[in-house]
Amino acid sequence: MINQSTTLDLTFQALADPARRAMLERLSTGPASVSELARPFSMSMPAVLQHLAVLETAGLTLSHKSGRVRTCEINPQALSTAQDWLAARRAEWEHRLDRLEAYLTELQNKDQGNG
Amino acid sequence: MINQSTTLDLTFQALADPARRAMLERLSTGPASVSELARPFSMSMPAVLQHLAVLETAGLTLSHKSGRVRTCEINPQALSTAQDWLAARRAEWEHRLDRLEAYLTELQNKDQGNG
DNA sequence: CGGATAGATAAGTCAACACTTAACTATGTG
DNA sequence: CACATAGTTAAGTGTTGACTTATCTATCCG
């Protein structure tokens, strides 16, 4: 299953790194420049740029350059794609538990009828 | 920021692989044995076991062995931890947009009052 | 223009990841 | 017991990821 990168792959992969999540946390409070995003980290500029590229490739952020400053912002739509996938799995699992419970209750009622 | 693995790191990292997501999708419809989970893949057994280990280490699944069969199930709690993080980021961003809108509206009202 | 500031590109390193094959350990079953 | 089934462990390989330093290109400011 190597090298078949879907949107979800890129999204979750991007979210897997604490530095990138920290950048998203910062961006969720409002847009920021590259150097502003870099400030909290003891990390070289190229490293920061690579993280930002990962976020942007995954669609989690957007950016535009004005003069020599690149401003980044969060893209909430990509967040909800990931969120939706998680919600779907949970819903499916809980729906299954509900069906199971209903089935067991039904069995119990039949037993009572027959006993 | 190397090698400091928090729960979220492990969770999102686990979710980043399509094979592991496929396994979770299967598991969200109910528990399954290792070989049942392996069936859809053209992948060696050890590879499947490694994926399952990643899922279990991240807390996304649970398993217990009975006889020679290991049965895996999903752990919805870990799913919601990830979901909550995403929800928090979105909420923060949207809250910010709301504040911004309120501020702009207020400015506009003042302008009207002064015009 | 000259120098600081903001960001970008290239190239290299080391560790982690996603596999593989080979060999091994239970646990059922005729 | 013999043989199949279900899973496990070990060890190795090629690829990707997370950095680094060095160098380079705008852009703004005096």
Side-chain angles (χ1 to χ4, degrees):
Chain A
M1 209 49 69
I2 227 159
N3 233 353
Q4 186 204 349
S5 282
T6 69
T7 305
L8 278 175
D9 286 9
L10 294 173
T11 304
F12 284 126
Q13 179 70 299
L15 292 168
D17 188 280
R20 288 194 290 265
R21 283 201 309 279
M23 290 172 183
L24 281 179
E25 286 180 19
R26 166 61 191 82
L27 288 176
S28 71
T29 71
S33 71
V34 171
S35 18
E36 201 177 333
L37 289 169
R39 213 178 322 272
F41 299 101
S42 55
M43 194 190 288
S44 69
M45 204 58 167
V48 171
L49 287 171
Q50 280 171 33
H51 282 305
L52 289 175
V54 171
L55 288 171
E56 194 154 354
T57 301
L60 286 162
T61 61
L62 304 166
S63 76
H64 58 96
K65 199 168 177 177
S66 151
R68 54 184 175 169
V69 175
R70 176 173 296 279
T71 302
C72 306
E73 39 175 280
I74 213 166
N75 175 14
Q77 207 180 323
L79 291 180
S80 41
T81 303
Q83 220 184 327
D84 290 351
W85 189 90
L86 292 166
R89 297 293 82 68
R90 282 219 301 158
E92 215 163 345
W93 176 255
E94 267 142 35
H95 182 213
R96 181 196 153 265
L97 289 182
D98 289 349
R99 284 196 310 263
L100 188 60
E101 193 185 359
Y103 173 67
L104 293 177
T105 305
E106 194 185 340
L107 275 191
Q108 198 180 353
N109 290 344
K110 278 186 184 160
D111 280 359
Q112 282 177 354
N114 293 341
Chain B
M1 210 50 69
I2 228 162
N3 234 356
Q4 187 203 349
S5 283
T6 69
T7 304
L8 277 175
D9 286 9
L10 293 174
T11 303
F12 284 126
Q13 178 72 310
L15 291 168
D17 188 280
R20 288 194 290 264
R21 283 202 309 280
M23 289 171 184
L24 281 179
E25 288 181 17
R26 165 62 190 81
L27 287 176
S28 71
T29 71
S33 70
V34 171
S35 19
E36 201 177 332
L37 288 168
R39 214 181 317 275
F41 299 101
S42 54
M43 195 190 285
S44 69
M45 204 60 168
V48 171
L49 286 170
Q50 280 171 31
H51 282 305
L52 289 175
V54 170
L55 288 170
E56 195 154 354
T57 301
L60 286 163
T61 61
L62 304 166
S63 76
H64 57 97
K65 198 168 176 177
S66 152
R68 56 184 174 171
V69 175
R70 175 173 297 280
T71 302
C72 306
E73 38 175 283
I74 213 166
N75 176 13
Q77 207 181 324
L79 291 179
S80 42
T81 303
Q83 220 184 328
D84 290 352
W85 189 90
L86 292 166
R89 297 294 80 68
R90 282 220 301 159
E92 214 163 345
W93 177 255
E94 267 142 35
H95 183 213
R96 181 195 153 265
L97 289 183
D98 289 350
R99 284 196 310 264
L100 190 59
E101 193 186 0
Y103 174 67
L104 293 177
T105 304
E106 192 185 341
L107 274 192
Q108 197 179 355
N109 289 343
K110 279 185 182 160
D111 279 0
Q112 282 179 356
N114 294 341

